[in-house]
Amino acid sequence: MRLKLALAFVVLFVASALTCASASAAGSSYYVDCSAATAGSGSQSSPWNSLSAVNAHAFAAGDRLLFARGVSCAGQLKPSGSGTAASPITVDAYGAGSARPIIAGGGTVYAAVHLYNVQYWEIRSLEVTNQGAAAAERNGILVELADFGTGSHYVVDNVYVHDVNGGDTKNSNGIQFRVSGTTTPTHFNGVTVENSEIYHVDREGLTTSSSWGCRAIYACTSGPAWTANTGVVFRNNLIHDIGGDGIVMRIGADAVVEHNTAYDIWMRSAGNNAGIWTINSDRTVVQYNEVYRVRRPCCNDGMAFDSDGGNRGVIFQYNFSHDNEGGFVLFCGCSSGWSTSGTIVRYNLSINDKSRILYAAGESAAQIYGNTFYIPSGSSTKIIEDNGSSSTKATWTNNLIYNLGSGGYDQAANYVFRGNLYYGSHPASEPADPYKSTANPLLVAPGSSAPSGYQLGSGSPALRTGLNLVGSSPKDYFGNPVPVNCRPDVGFHQRSTFDDAACAGTNLVQNGGFESGTTSSWSVTSGRGFIATDTVHSGADSLKLGPSQASAEQVVPVQPNTTYVLSGWGRVSAYDTELVIGAKAFGGTSEVRAPAFVNTTWRGGSVTFTTGPSTTTATVYCFARAGAGFGFCDDLTVTRQSP
């Protein structure tokens, strides 16, 4: 009997302990109703009635801070305490109706909502304002880490930030995630801002910033070393009536900016501003955004998109840009010592953008392919406007340039043009482009306002006439698959169906994947070519070249008067290093190269070449041409271009 009672007690004790642990993990709920006549305890029946009461409480993992719907709280929300990965702290609304709770800074606080040196927080369903009597540096929502280390898990969802009359400074924002301090390397890891609206704020809409941004490609050799924010996603937000910049991604790695709409940008600022841009960041992906009516009241910018100084491997894809006074895109390695490289602009649509499609102010290895650019009659928009530095190098491939205006191409000799369709006006500066077309592309409804009007119609000469691009986007603007082996359609719309297996050709390169474990079949610079097993694109081996200059060459058999595609994958070990693949001695143009590999992650590249009338061999190569690091080549192929 005693044993049974003892066992029952143990079971009851364990169950009770588990229940307490579960309750603790779930956290507590605290309620705020600033219209309540008396200060309460924070319960639903006796809510807090001021932000000062909220700020005096230290929140714990799993807690919920709930504000009464439709009620305004004056002052600053600056709570303390952090959640955990399993139990973040949540700010949300309670009560009937759909009206959001309001945090009204009134211009008397630096930020109406300020999360400072805390982590694992989620903010949902708030309305935030911070309008003062006069403009001054101030913010709507500011999430800040200062000498903190790594701050994790921040969500801002379904908030409405408006009427923040900040000064004309980039520390004035609707929403900003800011790293400050100089003693402890600090960064955000895991930031999502989504389903939110930012309206009538100065100077900037939605941004990141960091004091930890020093690296050589940003012309910085001393100071807090570059410590990238990671896991940052800005998604499905509406940004409009912004004094300066719309969305800015600074000092990030692998950030994603997608499905946002930004319009009426650069409404009041005296400086340069753009719609969506990124600076001093690696591999930012900007996709599925619509940007329009970015003004250009002065100065140089005013475009929809910008790959700015210190970037590596930024991608702009599947975006819709129209009616922007400063144009479509800027490349801006434009300050002394800045190095911007590896930007990709693909499968975007630009309609009636002003000034220029590309404002070229510095980029060493850009790729612009599979886009459609529509310039209406009477427009003077240039396809390329160079800032005079001639410091931009880019390869233009498979773009549809529907130019009914009078604008041309600055410094066309600095670029490589291959397989583009040029319709309408043909300025004297239009590039030669050995695979060009000038036929009417037979768009469905050119001049219309919807992207569907710029799709390729039946019988378009742009169908199946593009050049193969290994490692390119797997789909077009509309989500249609893009071929790898078959020839793609030109422009942002892939109308044609295809059978890639039927288009696959025989690879003429021997040991192109280096799976023999040796450099057999290749002639390699002595002492500077090695087989690598720790850095491969596929299989077990790749070729490691360097330091520069170092090359591997192979002579392959070809047929006369025949077009071939050389493709391969490459990466580099350091940001000062460039690697290229190319073909030479094929009897046609003296030499062709794919766009340089400048990223520390693998990317594909390809180039098309046509042999001479009596040529039977061509030399293909992989070449580490610059920098103190190493270049890696893998999966090199030469195949006959499909019909």
Side-chain angles (χ1 to χ4, degrees):
M1 184 68 175
R2 288 179 180 177
L3 180 60
K4 289 182 180 180
L5 287 172
L7 289 173
F9 175 79
V10 169
V11 170
L12 181 62
F13 176 81
V14 171
S16 176
L18 289 174
T19 301
C20 291
S22 176
S24 176
S28 302
S29 294
Y30 299 91
Y31 295 83
V32 185
D33 182 351
C34 289
S35 67
T38 59
S41 62
S43 67
Q44 187 168 8
S45 60
S46 178
W48 290 323
N49 69 348
S50 69
L51 293 176
S52 59
V54 176
N55 298 338
H57 181 81
F59 293 90
D63 284 353
R64 299 172 71 232
L65 174 59
L66 305 173
F67 287 84
R69 288 188 177 276
V71 175
S72 181
C73 291
Q76 181 183 61
L77 172 61
K78 190 174 183 179
S80 62
S82 291
T84 65
S87 301
I89 299 168
T90 302
V91 179
D92 211 331
Y94 79 96
S98 60
R100 295 181 177 92
I102 302 170
I103 307 297
T108 62
V109 296
Y110 186 70
V113 177
H114 192 184
L115 296 186
Y116 182 78
N117 278 359
V118 297
Q119 59 182 330
Y120 298 106
W121 277 80
E122 299 182 356
I123 299 176
R124 305 180 187 276
S125 307
L126 293 186
E127 181 175 343
V128 178
T129 71
N130 197 9
Q131 185 80 4
E137 186 175 301
R138 59 173 64 98
N139 297 266
I141 298 176
L142 175 62
V143 183
E144 184 177 7
L145 298 175
D147 295 321
F148 183 83
T150 299
S152 299
H153 189 84
Y154 304 85
V155 175
V156 177
D157 180 23
N158 187 33
V159 304
Y160 177 33
V161 179
H162 63 97
D163 293 298
V164 180
N165 61 334
D168 198 1
T169 163
K170 296 184 180 184
N171 279 335
S172 293
N173 300 263
I175 301 175
Q176 184 172 75
F177 285 78
R178 180 185 303 173
V179 174
S180 56
T182 59
T183 60
T184 302
T186 298
H187 73 122
F188 289 99
N189 178 40
V191 170
T192 300
V193 180
E194 60 186 354
N195 309 316
S196 296
E197 181 178 0
I198 302 175
Y199 165 71
H200 193 63
V201 306
D202 295 289
R203 168 179 172 173
E204 301 191 315
L206 172 59
T207 73
T208 61
S209 73
S210 177
S211 56
W212 289 85
C214 187
R215 58 177 178 171
I217 62 173
Y218 195 57
C220 181
T221 57
S222 64
W226 191 80
T227 307
N229 297 310
T230 55
V232 180
V233 178
F234 292 164
R235 175 194 297 128
N236 196 35
N237 300 293
L238 178 62
I239 317 288
H240 59 124
D241 190 10
I242 307 300
D245 299 307
I247 298 175
V248 187
M249 186 66 62
R250 299 181 179 91
I251 311 175
D254 302 298
V256 177
V257 180
E258 63 180 7
H259 296 288
N260 301 286
T261 300
Y263 67 93
D264 291 342
I265 307 299
W266 196 357
M267 301 300 288
R268 291 168 290 277
S269 173
N272 276 304
N273 298 275
I276 299 176
W277 58 287
T278 180
I279 184 170
N280 200 9
S281 296
D282 289 354
R283 301 178 301 278
T284 305
V285 176
V286 179
Q287 60 184 7
Y288 305 111
N289 302 285
E290 181 179 2
V291 181
Y292 60 101
R293 294 205 306 259
V294 179
R295 296 174 67 241
R296 188 189 173 196
C298 71
C299 317
N300 293 320
D301 292 6
M303 58 285 299
F305 305 104
D306 168 20
S307 180
D308 218 280
N311 282 336
R312 281 295 184 270
V314 173
I315 297 177
F316 296 91
Q317 60 186 9
Y318 321 131
N319 297 292
F320 180 25
S321 169
H322 60 96
D323 303 291
N324 297 295
E325 292 184 5
F328 170 57
V329 68
L330 163 67
F331 295 158
C332 188
C334 44
S335 288
S336 177
W338 282 8
S339 171
T340 297
S341 196
T343 303
I344 291 178
V345 178
R346 64 189 183 191
Y347 290 99
N348 302 282
L349 174 63
S350 166
I351 300 174
N352 195 34
D353 282 326
K354 311 296 196 300
S355 301
R356 55 274 167 129
I357 298 300
L358 167 65
Y359 185 42
E363 222 288 3
S364 63
Q367 299 181 57
I368 302 171
Y369 64 84
N371 304 282
T372 294
F373 305 120
Y374 178 82
I375 301 172
S377 177
S379 172
S380 59
T381 295
K382 292 182 176 182
I383 309 303
I384 301 172
E385 179 183 338
D386 193 276
N387 73 335
S389 66
S390 301
S391 59
T392 300
K393 312 295 181 185
T395 300
W396 296 65
T397 310
N398 299 345
N399 299 290
L400 198 162
I401 303 168
Y402 201 114
N403 182 14
L404 303 181
S406 59
Y409 303 73
D410 284 355
Q411 307 293 339
N414 289 343
Y415 303 86
V416 175
F417 296 89
R418 292 184 172 273
N420 303 286
L421 189 154
Y422 311 79
Y423 176 70
S425 302
H426 299 285
S429 57
E430 182 177 288
D433 192 340
Y435 303 99
K436 76 188 300 181
S437 170
T438 59
N440 186 336
L442 302 179
L443 301 183
V444 170
S448 61
S449 59
S452 59
Y454 299 84
Q455 292 180 329
L456 301 175
S458 176
S460 169
L463 302 177
R464 302 185 183 90
T465 58
L467 303 180
N468 297 101
L469 293 174
V470 170
S472 71
S473 168
K475 59 186 178 181
D476 73 354
Y477 178 93
F478 299 97
N480 302 312
V482 172
V484 175
N485 299 317
C486 297
R487 298 184 68 176
D489 299 343
V490 173
F492 85 134
H493 174 217
Q494 176 67 35
R495 178 187 174 101
S496 303
T497 58
F498 53 88
D499 181 356
D500 257 340
C503 294
T506 301
N507 183 14
L508 303 178
V509 176
Q510 301 298 312
N511 193 27
F514 305 96
E515 295 308 307
S516 69
T518 70
T519 58
S520 63
S521 303
W522 294 90
S523 176
V524 181
T525 302
S526 177
R528 298 197 177 192
F530 319 91
I531 295 298
T533 58
D534 58 341
T535 303
V536 300
H537 172 251
S538 69
D541 301 293
S542 68
L543 177 65
K544 178 179 180 180
L545 294 172
S548 66
Q549 294 182 340
S551 69
E553 297 186 352
Q554 182 178 147
V555 177
V556 299
V558 294
Q559 297 178 1
N561 295 320
T562 305
T563 300
Y564 293 89
V565 179
L566 164 65
S567 66
W569 292 79
R571 55 158 291 181
V572 296
S573 66
Y575 283 137
D576 70 336
T577 303
E578 289 191 6
L579 180 82
V580 293
I581 60 173
K584 61 184 180 180
F586 51 82
T589 305
S590 60
E591 186 173 350
V592 294
R593 289 176 173 173
F597 299 111
V598 294
N599 290 285
T600 56
T601 54
W602 288 100
R603 273 192 175 177
S606 55
V607 65
T608 302
F609 64 96
T610 301
T611 58
S614 59
T615 303
T616 57
T617 62
T619 300
V620 299
Y621 61 83
C622 180
F623 178 39
R625 68 180 184 184
F630 293 91
F632 298 84
C633 291
D634 206 356
D635 298 326
L636 295 164
T637 66
V638 171
T639 57
R640 186 170 180 170
Q641 182 176 271
S642 61

